[in-house]
Amino acid sequence: MSASRIFDTINECLSLVHSDSIEVQEKALQTLASITKVSPQNRTLLAQTDKAIPTLATLTNASSPIIKTLSLLILFNLSLNPDLKQSLADMETIYYLNSLITTSSCSLDSSKLASSLICSLAMHDKNKAKFGVAGTVQLLVKAIEGSHGSDAHHLLSSLAELVHFHGNCTLAVRAGAVPVLLRVVKGTNNDEDLAGTSLAVLNLLARFDEGLNGLKKTDEIVKAMLSVLKGRSLLSKEGAADILLRLFDDSEACVTEALMLPEFSTVLADLCVRGSVRVRDKADLLMRKMAKVSLDSDLEASSLHGC
């Protein structure tokens, strides 16, 4: 379809979305969703059409769930164009997305799309601070705590993208992200992706002092990561190993805690043989760090006894 034909279609659809008929609105929005699904050029054409984005933003407040969902879907499609992310992330839109991830009456589809749109817009670095100012980080932590798995993946992905920014990491930790994410890791029922994503977010938090200190203050954090290492998911094992490496580098007390757990060395030795290449390398590093602390302790004990 030519650009002029697409432009005519866009204008026709934008006119029809003002109809009093939900069926007519739905058909027009489905057409817009279809033409913006795969074509960056079509997304640009729609975004450049007069009042297109404000119209779509208004329709996300529609009382009809299908109209709301389709409008969010089109905005999400537009956000896939890197050059449109910043203009789409105005504060009014962000506050509205916040309301969607925290409103229990919102449909699951709309909630997932809202989370996905937050994640997409947050990929533009200049948007990350906007979400921090709007309180999105704290709301995501709260939403993850109350989620039942069906939408948790989308919420976690959004949080992961936002905490790449140091200020948002601080907000997440203060909102209780560390214990919330650890509960997700412990409480997932055979959902290895969910546990792996939670561990990935914890690793992002641990890049900064606030997150690392939050992990160190957690009771039996080393034992908790050992439980993950004993599980089946390679993704989770890699995430747990990364967290342990950060803890071991920062705190000898954590290494000592690991040395006091009889299973720890055995589990690491098994991973050095049976794990993926990346897990094997991380397990080997952990064993080296433990061996060094153990040797230093032995030498110190020997010197105290004059040996």
Side-chain angles (χ1 to χ4, degrees):
M1 193 181 296
S2 66
S4 60
R5 179 73 182 278
I6 291 290
F7 187 72
D8 290 340
T9 301
I10 287 172
N11 278 294
E12 181 183 0
C13 289
L14 288 174
S15 175
L16 291 173
V17 296
H18 294 290
S19 169
D20 293 332
S21 167
I22 290 179
E23 289 76 14
V24 172
Q25 285 184 313
E26 181 180 343
K27 185 175 180 181
L29 289 171
Q30 284 176 337
T31 299
L32 290 175
S34 177
I35 65 176
T36 57
K37 184 176 181 179
V38 296
S39 170
Q41 293 80 9
N42 290 351
R43 296 172 196 146
T44 298
L45 277 174
L46 175 58
Q48 291 176 344
T49 302
D50 186 41
K51 297 182 180 179
I53 291 177
T55 297
L56 292 167
T58 299
L59 287 171
T60 60
N61 285 295
S63 57
S64 167
I66 186 62
I67 299 302
K68 178 182 292 188
T69 299
L70 284 169
S71 302
L72 283 167
L73 176 59
I74 297 165
L75 288 174
F76 173 74
N77 288 348
L78 294 181
S79 76
L80 297 176
N81 278 23
D83 60 323
L84 297 178
K85 292 183 187 292
Q86 191 170 4
S87 61
L88 286 168
D90 62 87
M91 293 305 290
E92 186 177 350
T93 298
I94 290 174
Y95 283 125
Y96 177 64
L97 293 174
N98 284 353
S99 71
L100 288 179
I101 62 174
T102 56
T103 303
S104 58
S105 60
C106 178
S107 72
L108 185 58
D109 285 340
S110 291
S111 179
K112 286 181 178 180
L113 276 170
S115 296
S116 297
L117 183 51
I118 289 171
C119 183
S120 179
L121 295 177
M123 290 178 183
H124 192 294
D125 287 342
K126 291 184 178 179
N127 288 342
K128 287 180 170 63
K130 287 185 180 181
F131 283 105
V133 170
T136 308
V137 174
Q138 297 93 321
L139 291 174
L140 283 169
V141 172
K142 184 177 180 180
I144 290 166
E145 186 174 22
S147 67
H148 301 289
S150 54
D151 58 344
H153 286 287
H154 298 75
L155 296 167
L156 284 166
S157 296
S158 297
L159 184 61
E161 191 59 47
L162 286 171
V163 298
H164 278 90
F165 177 58
H166 189 177
N168 289 341
C169 173
T170 301
L171 293 173
V173 173
R174 290 177 180 174
V178 171
V180 166
L181 292 168
L182 286 171
R183 282 196 291 273
V184 174
V185 172
K186 294 175 184 178
T188 49
N189 297 318
N190 299 318
D191 194 333
E192 297 173 353
D193 287 342
L194 197 60
T197 305
S198 299
L199 288 163
V201 179
L202 283 169
N203 265 302
L204 289 170
L205 296 177
R207 293 177 307 146
F208 305 111
D209 289 342
E210 297 92 332
L212 189 58
N213 289 335
L215 284 167
K216 288 192 297 182
K217 291 176 183 176
T218 302
D219 290 338
E220 299 187 326
I221 182 62
V222 174
K223 189 175 181 179
M225 292 301 102
L226 172 61
S227 295
V228 178
L229 292 177
K230 291 163 63 178
R232 296 181 302 173
S233 169
L234 289 178
L235 178 62
S236 293
K237 289 178 182 180
E238 186 176 338
D242 280 329
I243 288 173
L244 286 167
L245 284 170
R246 292 186 186 278
L247 291 170
F248 283 14
D249 284 339
D250 188 76
S251 170
E252 189 171 304
C254 288
V255 185
T256 303
E257 183 182 342
L259 287 167
M260 294 174 65
L261 295 171
E263 287 184 285
F264 206 98
S265 295
T266 304
V267 171
L268 287 183
D270 186 61
L271 289 176
C272 285
V273 177
R274 300 174 185 271
S276 65
V277 174
R278 295 175 70 173
V279 171
R280 289 202 302 269
D281 290 344
K282 295 176 194 299
D284 182 63
L285 276 174
L286 288 168
M287 290 191 74
R288 290 174 185 270
K289 292 178 185 296
M290 290 174 65
K292 182 179 184 304
V293 171
S294 180
L295 178 60
D296 290 345
S297 298
D298 290 343
L299 290 174
E300 184 177 347
S302 296
S303 65
L304 289 174
H305 289 86
C307 298

